[in-house]
Amino acid sequence: MNIDLVFKIAAIGIVVAVLNQLLVRSDRPDQAMLVSLAGLVTTMMLLVREISSLFELVKTLFGF
């Protein structure tokens, strides 16, 4: 696992939190929810890629 992944997830979280607060305070809660959902999907895509590489590593380690 690379430390860059942690920084990417933290950066996405900070950007989403700031945008969410700005949109909620400007009375646009629907768009704030969509921004939060987009941040969650983006983070999940990063994590799925890493989990996939972990499974490939375990598969080659045990010779399956």
Side-chain angles (χ1 to χ4, degrees):
M1 186 168 134
N2 200 352
I3 194 72
D4 292 337
L5 178 66
V6 175
F7 287 141
K8 285 179 186 177
I9 292 173
I12 291 170
I14 291 169
V15 169
V16 166
V18 168
L19 287 175
N20 193 2
Q21 287 298 315
L22 286 174
L23 288 170
V24 166
R25 292 188 189 271
S26 65
D27 202 25
R28 297 174 191 237
D30 295 336
Q31 291 177 353
M33 188 214 29
L34 288 175
V35 167
S36 297
L37 187 61
L40 179 67
V41 168
T42 305
T43 304
M44 287 298 151
M45 285 176 21
L46 288 172
L47 289 177
V48 164
R49 188 178 308 144
E50 290 298 317
I51 291 171
S52 173
S53 67
L54 174 67
F55 283 146
E56 289 296 322
L57 178 66
V58 169
K59 193 160 99 173
T60 58
L61 182 67
F62 290 112
F64 290 118

